[in-house]
Amino acid sequence: MPSSSTLSANDKSRVRSIIPTPTKILAASLARIYFAYPDPFSWTYGGLQGALVLVADRTRGAHFFCLVDISGTRGVLWQHEIYKGFEYNQDRPFFHSFAGDECMVGIVFPAEGDARNFFKQVSSRKEIKPKSKADSAAPKKKSIAKGGTIDKSLISAPKTGSFVHVAHMGYDAEKGFTSSGVDPSWLALLDGLQAHGLDEAVIAENMDFIKSFVRDAQKSGAATNGGPKKKPPPPPAPRRNMHAQQDSTVSVTATPPPAPPPPPPS
């Protein structure tokens, strides 16, 4: 395991026993995890503290952050994949951040040396090609020449019973709209159109246009609300005795951007 100024020999031994052996550990340090949630302009301690390790997992073909419980028996407390195009920010010597699935995620290191090593390892990581015994044992498939036609023998027939009709919507002149397995929001939309005086037959005749219009509106709304996530300012520098502290929830508020104040010195 790489050297760390914050992990004892016992801590390293526990980490090795929890992280799978085929996985290579590139960096390790004590750390705390913060989230910019529910307020995107304020860091809140997530109650997660332990040994943070950067691993290269050849089985899954990706790098991961794994937070290991070194004071209990809970194993891996938190994990995050370092996906392709991952941006890792060194906001302060002791504080790093990145965009998570739902909010910004912050990592606080008690030692700046460990923080520098983490940033170096994450920034210089190389793409991992997954290794699988199943892949190596699989029979070779026919190749398609560039610019050639597709060989029908390469396309397998569907298995019997593999297609399932999960949803249906229709219109009957006597019964009106009939549906099975359809999203309730669609039925609510149709009821709303009828409430505004649109005849059922007219709605049925223009169903394709209605569906297309709703899909385009949803895409437009997603594009409007899907802008880049803003980062809140980092939390204050951690105390050196973080290893012995009791877990607690700390919220550090700050004035929203564009000019967030820096954290107090460590």
Side-chain angles (χ1 to χ4, degrees):
M1 179 184 292
S3 62
S4 170
S5 61
T6 57
L7 292 177
S8 66
N10 290 336
D11 294 337
K12 294 178 180 180
S13 177
R14 175 177 285 275
V15 169
R16 290 193 195 96
S17 67
I18 294 175
I19 299 298
T21 50
T23 302
K24 183 178 181 180
I25 299 176
L26 304 178
S29 172
L30 279 178
R32 278 186 169 186
I33 308 300
Y34 285 73
F35 300 99
Y37 183 85
D39 182 359
F41 300 109
S42 174
W43 287 109
T44 300
Y45 173 45
L48 298 172
Q49 175 178 302
L52 181 69
V53 292
L54 170 65
V55 300
D57 191 332
R58 296 189 181 279
T59 302
R60 292 183 285 180
H63 292 83
F64 290 85
F65 286 130
C66 296
L67 188 70
V68 178
D69 181 13
I70 56 177
S71 60
T73 58
R74 291 180 291 172
V76 177
L77 302 173
W78 173 82
Q79 180 176 266
H80 194 284
E81 179 180 359
I82 302 178
Y83 48 83
K84 188 175 182 180
F86 181 82
E87 293 187 5
Y88 190 61
N89 309 298
Q90 189 177 29
D91 300 300
R92 294 292 186 273
F94 61 87
F95 179 79
H96 300 168
S97 65
F98 59 89
D101 296 332
E102 298 180 355
C103 65
M104 292 299 296
V105 180
I107 302 175
V108 174
F109 298 89
E112 294 182 6
D114 286 352
R116 283 193 299 269
N117 184 47
F118 254 87
F119 184 76
K120 178 182 177 181
Q121 294 294 335
V122 173
S123 302
S124 61
R125 71 189 185 279
K126 296 181 180 180
E127 184 179 357
I128 302 175
K129 294 182 179 180
K131 296 179 65 176
S132 173
K133 293 182 179 180
D135 293 340
S136 60
K140 294 183 178 179
K141 298 181 180 179
K142 296 181 180 179
S143 60
I144 302 174
K146 186 176 181 181
T149 58
I150 298 177
D151 187 348
K152 292 183 179 179
S153 65
L154 299 177
I155 306 175
S156 60
K159 295 180 179 180
T160 304
S162 60
F163 290 95
V164 181
H165 191 70
V166 296
H168 168 76
M169 175 178 285
Y171 175 76
D172 184 271
E174 297 181 358
K175 300 179 181 179
F177 287 103
T178 59
S179 63
S180 174
V182 178
D183 188 340
S185 62
W186 272 105
L187 301 180
L189 173 63
L190 296 179
D191 291 340
L193 293 176
Q194 295 179 46
H196 283 77
L198 289 179
D199 186 78
E200 290 184 350
V202 175
I203 296 175
E205 183 179 353
N206 295 275
M207 181 61 69
D208 291 339
F209 170 77
I210 295 174
K211 292 179 179 179
S212 177
F213 177 81
V214 172
R215 281 196 296 266
D216 291 343
Q218 291 174 339
K219 291 180 180 178
S220 176
T224 304
N225 300 326
K229 300 177 182 179
K230 295 183 179 179
K231 296 188 296 181
R239 291 190 292 269
R240 296 296 178 182
N241 62 343
M242 190 182 78
H243 193 174
Q245 284 184 317
Q246 295 291 331
D247 287 352
S248 60
T249 301
V250 180
S251 176
V252 181
T253 58
T255 304
S266 57

